[in-house]
Amino acid sequence: MSNKRSNSFRQAILQGNRRLCSKALLEETGLSLSQRLIRHVAYETLPREIDRKWYYDSYTCCPPPWFMITITIVEVAFFLYNGVVLDRFVLQVSHPLYLKNALLYHPQLRAQAWRYLTYIFMHAGIEHLGLNVVLQLLVGVPLEMVHGAARISFVYVAGVVAGSLAVSVADMRAPVVGSSGGVYALVSAHLANIVMNWSGMKCQFKLLRMAVALICMSFEFGRAVWLRFHPSAYPPCPHPSFMAHLGGVMVGITLGVVILRNYEQRLQDQTLWWIFLSIYVIFVLFAIFWNIFAYSLLDLKLPPPP
C-alpha cells in the first residue's frame, strides 16, 4: 500500500499536466480491444482525467485482478458442494443440516474465531449467492484492476469482519452467512465515490446505473430482512441476520471511500485514513470485549449449538 505517489509528486504531475494540451482519453482512436477495456475501466472508476491517463499508461495487467476472481470461484465451489451434500440449491438455509457446517458464524460457537471470516463461503441459497457474485464481479474486478489487490482485499475483508462483528453485537441470537458484508463494503464505497465526484465521473448512464445498483442492493437487503424474521425451519435458532450488510456499508463509506478517493497516493499521508482506521480498530476491540463479557452479563438465552 505504501508504494504510491506522494502528495508533492502528485502536485508536480498536476502542474506539468496544465502545461500540456494533450487530448482526453475518450478522443483517442485506433485502440485495440484491450486498450479500450483499460480506458473503459479508467472512466468507470476514476474521477480525474490525469489519474485516468496515468492508469491507462501504466496498467500492465500484471498481476491480474486475482483476488475477486479467486474469492468468487471459492464461494461458488463451496455452494455447489453444499448443494450436492444437502441435495438443495434454493434456500439451503432451511435444511436441518445447514447449521452444522464448520464455516458459518453461530452465536454459540463465537469462540471459534475463524467463523467471523469463513461465513462468506456459505450462502442462504442460489438467489443469495447469485446477486453477491454479480455485484462483486461487476464492481470488485474493475476496482481491483485500478487500485490493486492489496487495497481492495483490505476493504472487502474489513467489511466481512465488520459484518460478523455487527451481528454479534446487534443481533446476538442469530447466525450469519454470505459475502454481503464484503460486497456491500465495495459497492457502497464505489457509489459514494461517484456521488462525491459526480462532475468528474465520466462513466456512461451513471445515474441509471446507480439506480439499478441501489435497487439490487435494496432487493438483497429486503430479502435478508424477510428471511431473518420468517419462521425458522429449525427453531429456536432464527434464520441468518441481515446486520452484516449494514456493517459492510459502514466500512465502505468510511475506509472504502478514503481508499478509492486516493488513487496511487500513500494512505499514510491522509488524515482521514488514520481517523477511520482508528474508529474501525476501536469497533473491533469493542466487539471482541462485547463477545467475551456481554453474553454472560445479559444472561441471554441463545439457541442451542448445531
Side-chain angles (χ1 to χ4, degrees):
M1 286 191 189
S2 61
N3 188 22
K4 304 293 180 181
R5 289 179 283 174
S6 65
N7 287 332
S8 59
F9 183 81
R10 180 178 180 80
Q11 288 298 322
I13 293 295
L14 286 170
Q15 291 173 7
N17 186 67
R18 294 190 188 100
R19 301 190 186 101
L20 297 177
C21 298
S22 57
K23 57 186 177 181
L25 276 179
L26 283 177
E27 300 173 4
E28 296 282 350
T29 58
L31 302 180
S32 65
L33 180 62
S34 61
Q35 290 174 321
R36 290 199 298 270
L37 174 62
I38 296 172
R39 182 178 65 179
H40 174 75
V41 170
Y43 277 94
E44 288 291 309
T45 55
L46 296 172
R48 290 179 288 267
E49 183 67 19
I50 186 173
D51 287 336
R52 292 191 283 261
K53 290 180 179 179
W54 179 283
Y55 168 73
Y56 178 81
D57 291 336
S58 60
Y59 184 72
T60 61
C61 197
C62 185
W66 61 269
F67 175 76
M68 295 308 308
I69 294 174
T70 302
I71 284 290
T72 301
I73 292 173
V74 175
E75 288 173 359
V76 172
F78 271 105
F79 176 79
L80 293 176
Y81 172 78
N82 288 323
V84 172
V85 171
L86 302 176
D87 193 25
R88 183 175 300 178
F89 291 91
V90 178
L91 281 179
Q92 288 184 355
V93 69
S94 62
H95 196 282
L97 298 179
Y98 183 83
L99 286 181
K100 294 185 180 295
N101 194 288
L103 298 179
L104 59 80
Y105 170 84
H106 191 283
Q108 283 280 20
L109 304 173
R110 64 188 184 279
Q112 298 176 357
W114 69 84
R115 293 178 180 265
Y116 292 89
L117 185 61
T118 58
Y119 75 91
I120 67 172
F121 301 120
M122 301 289 294
H123 284 80
I126 193 169
E127 68 290 341
H128 186 199
L129 173 73
L131 190 54
N132 279 346
V133 164
V134 168
L135 286 175
Q136 71 185 24
L137 287 179
L138 290 182
V139 177
V141 170
L143 289 180
E144 185 177 348
M145 289 175 64
V146 173
H147 298 279
R151 291 189 170 196
I152 296 307
S153 62
F154 176 82
V155 175
Y156 189 88
V157 173
V160 168
V161 174
S164 54
L165 291 177
V167 172
S168 70
V169 171
D171 197 2
M172 299 167 67
R173 298 185 66 254
V176 61
V177 297
S179 58
S180 297
V183 172
Y184 274 55
L186 290 178
V187 177
S188 298
H190 182 51
L191 294 181
N193 190 42
I194 291 176
V195 172
M196 296 171 68
N197 299 279
W198 188 261
S199 61
M201 298 298 292
K202 302 300 182 182
C203 48
Q204 294 181 327
F205 310 111
K206 56 186 174 183
L207 183 59
L208 175 62
R209 292 162 62 181
M210 279 194 64
V212 171
L214 290 173
I215 290 172
C216 291
M217 294 173 68
S218 300
F219 172 80
E220 161 59 18
F221 183 70
R223 181 210 60 82
V225 173
W226 170 84
L227 183 63
R228 170 64 179 86
F229 295 107
H230 190 268
S232 176
Y234 31 79
C237 185
H239 281 308
S241 176
F242 57 86
M243 291 301 299
H245 299 70
L246 302 181
V249 169
M250 294 307 298
V251 169
I253 62 178
T254 53
L255 289 172
V257 167
V258 174
I259 287 177
L260 298 192
R261 281 175 58 85
N262 290 282
Y263 168 69
E264 282 293 314
Q265 293 190 68
R266 295 182 295 192
L267 293 176
Q268 58 265 37
D269 294 339
Q270 312 301 318
T271 303
L272 274 180
W273 165 254
W274 293 110
I275 293 174
F276 289 141
L277 183 62
S278 300
I279 293 173
Y280 181 80
V281 171
I282 290 171
F283 167 72
V284 171
L285 293 176
F286 167 78
I288 291 173
F289 281 101
W290 181 273
N291 277 271
I292 295 174
F293 300 108
Y295 281 76
S296 57
L297 291 176
L298 295 175
D299 196 23
L300 190 69
K301 185 178 181 181
L302 295 176

